[in-house]
Amino acid sequence: MSELPTVTTVADVRERVAGWRAAHQTIAFVPTMGNLHDGHLSLVRLARKAADRVVMSIFVNPTQFGPSEDFAAYPRTPEEDRERLSQAGGVDLLFVPSDGEVYPFGTRDAVRVTLPPLASELCGASRPGHFDGVASVVSRLLNIVTPDVLVLGRKDYQQLVLVERMVEDLRMSVRVISGATVREPDGLAMSSRNRYLTSDERAKAPALYRALAAAQAALEAGEKDHARIEQDAMRALEQAGFVPDYVEIRRARDLGKPSPGDAASDLIVLGAARLGRARLIDNTSR
Ligand code: PAF
């Protein structure tokens, strides 16, 4: 088990990063909200390949939760997280800031990032302001850590596309790379929110990925009627006991609405659905 240096202040992160910069070392950054699972650890491994040093943050960001969402109940497991990271190795610095360290003027009076309209579609349609909150915290963390490489997972595919867009549009000097979704043996995407599932719901949960994968297979088999593919997937989710939010086929590159000439390999199927207390999301990115 390796030692895991942990800091809580911006000043301490900057001091550590300045030392690495002085030694001409590059830095990869993995932002998280904790409750770490194998998906996060796979991002650490990707980060290690991409740079000399790896910084991870654990911060449950209040500005990305709506008033009726699970901010207070979001699983916070600091001891287990430290233990997992120490066992797995690969992280050179863990940054665990307080709210005041990230939002020095408080969250109400904070400067915010406003994303383009894609932020109000798909998951954004039922989570108003969510992606602006994500962009706001990611931009702050990037300003604090100043990494060369930002590492995100493809499970939150809309988040990935919007952060890529923010980085490009705001001329930020960081390269964004992404890691594939890590799945349980039955296909369920790993997620901190899986712990909200009862054992009965857990048994049903893999139906989300099955429905999206079937939709992607239909596209690849040449089916052109997107509305019908989406409706079939929604119906399959209802039959499996979910309350579906959406299933949509989009262009993988930028999540724009597909045009008739797009090849199936350029498309992605995304979905979100409620199962008991949990709102699960997934997609067919590879
Ligand atoms: O994906 C997450 O865990 C969060 O949205 C992120 C990127 C750490 C921002 O709070």
Side-chain angles (χ1 to χ4, degrees):
M1 198 175 336
S2 62
E3 194 209 336
L4 178 58
T6 304
V7 293
T8 57
T9 68
V10 172
D12 283 343
V13 176
R14 291 202 164 132
E15 192 185 319
R16 203 64 70 110
V17 166
W20 294 333
R21 294 276 177 227
H24 304 289
Q25 292 177 330
T26 55
I27 298 157
F29 174 49
V30 186
T32 79
M33 298 208 298
N35 195 237
L36 303 177
H37 48 68
D38 286 351
H40 296 109
L41 299 183
S42 77
L43 297 182
V44 171
R45 290 193 292 275
L46 192 61
R48 276 244 75 90
K49 287 193 199 136
D52 302 313
R53 297 289 182 173
V54 175
V55 180
M56 175 185 279
S57 62
I58 295 183
F59 178 64
V60 184
N61 171 39
T63 68
Q64 69 189 77
F65 290 81
S68 62
E69 292 185 350
D70 57 347
F71 174 64
Y74 193 84
R76 291 161 172 86
T77 52
E79 295 312 318
E80 289 94 321
D81 290 349
R82 282 186 58 76
E83 179 77 18
R84 290 208 88 173
L85 287 178
S86 303
Q87 297 254 353
V91 172
D92 294 294
L93 186 66
L94 180 63
F95 178 41
V96 190
S98 62
D99 287 7
E101 207 59 24
V102 177
Y103 294 100
F105 293 92
T107 49
R108 212 197 55 184
D109 292 332
V111 172
R112 300 270 190 138
V113 174
T114 305
L115 290 167
L118 172 62
S120 307
E121 299 173 19
L122 302 167
C123 281
S126 56
R127 304 190 70 191
H130 166 69
F131 289 112
D132 286 355
V134 170
S136 298
V137 79
V138 171
S139 61
R140 281 159 192 272
L141 293 168
L142 288 173
N143 284 338
I144 295 165
V145 178
T146 63
D148 302 278
V149 182
L150 171 65
V151 186
L152 293 171
R154 290 201 283 279
K155 185 180 138 303
D156 290 312
Y157 196 83
Q158 188 178 5
Q159 164 174 288
L160 169 67
V161 168
L162 285 165
V163 169
E164 283 173 341
R165 175 70 182 272
M166 172 183 78
V167 163
E168 200 177 334
D169 200 15
L170 296 184
R171 305 293 199 216
M172 291 173 151
S173 176
V174 66
R175 182 164 66 92
V176 183
I177 63 172
S178 66
T181 303
V182 177
R183 299 185 180 280
E184 303 286 358
D186 62 7
L188 177 66
M190 289 196 184
S191 164
S192 303
R193 289 190 165 100
N194 292 350
R195 62 163 54 202
Y196 295 148
L197 299 169
T198 62
S199 59
D200 184 42
E201 289 159 358
R202 174 64 190 82
K204 295 174 176 162
L208 174 58
Y209 184 59
R210 272 203 304 274
L212 303 184
Q216 183 79 42
L219 286 173
E220 280 161 23
E223 172 67 59
K224 296 284 180 229
D225 187 344
H226 289 187
R228 200 172 82 194
I229 297 175
E230 291 165 351
Q231 280 157 17
D232 286 351
M234 294 282 277
R235 204 167 311 112
L237 288 175
E238 276 163 10
Q239 280 164 3
F242 282 85
V243 180
D245 181 352
Y246 68 86
V247 173
E248 283 202 39
I249 298 164
R250 292 282 179 124
R251 237 174 11 229
R253 178 168 45 88
D254 57 3
L255 290 184
K257 305 241 189 213
S259 324
D262 286 329
S265 55
D266 295 334
L267 302 176
I268 182 173
V269 187
L270 307 101
R274 289 194 176 278
L275 192 55
R277 273 179 66 209
R279 181 178 181 281
L280 303 181
I281 61 171
D282 208 340
N283 64 77
T284 56
S285 67
R286 282 183 267 249

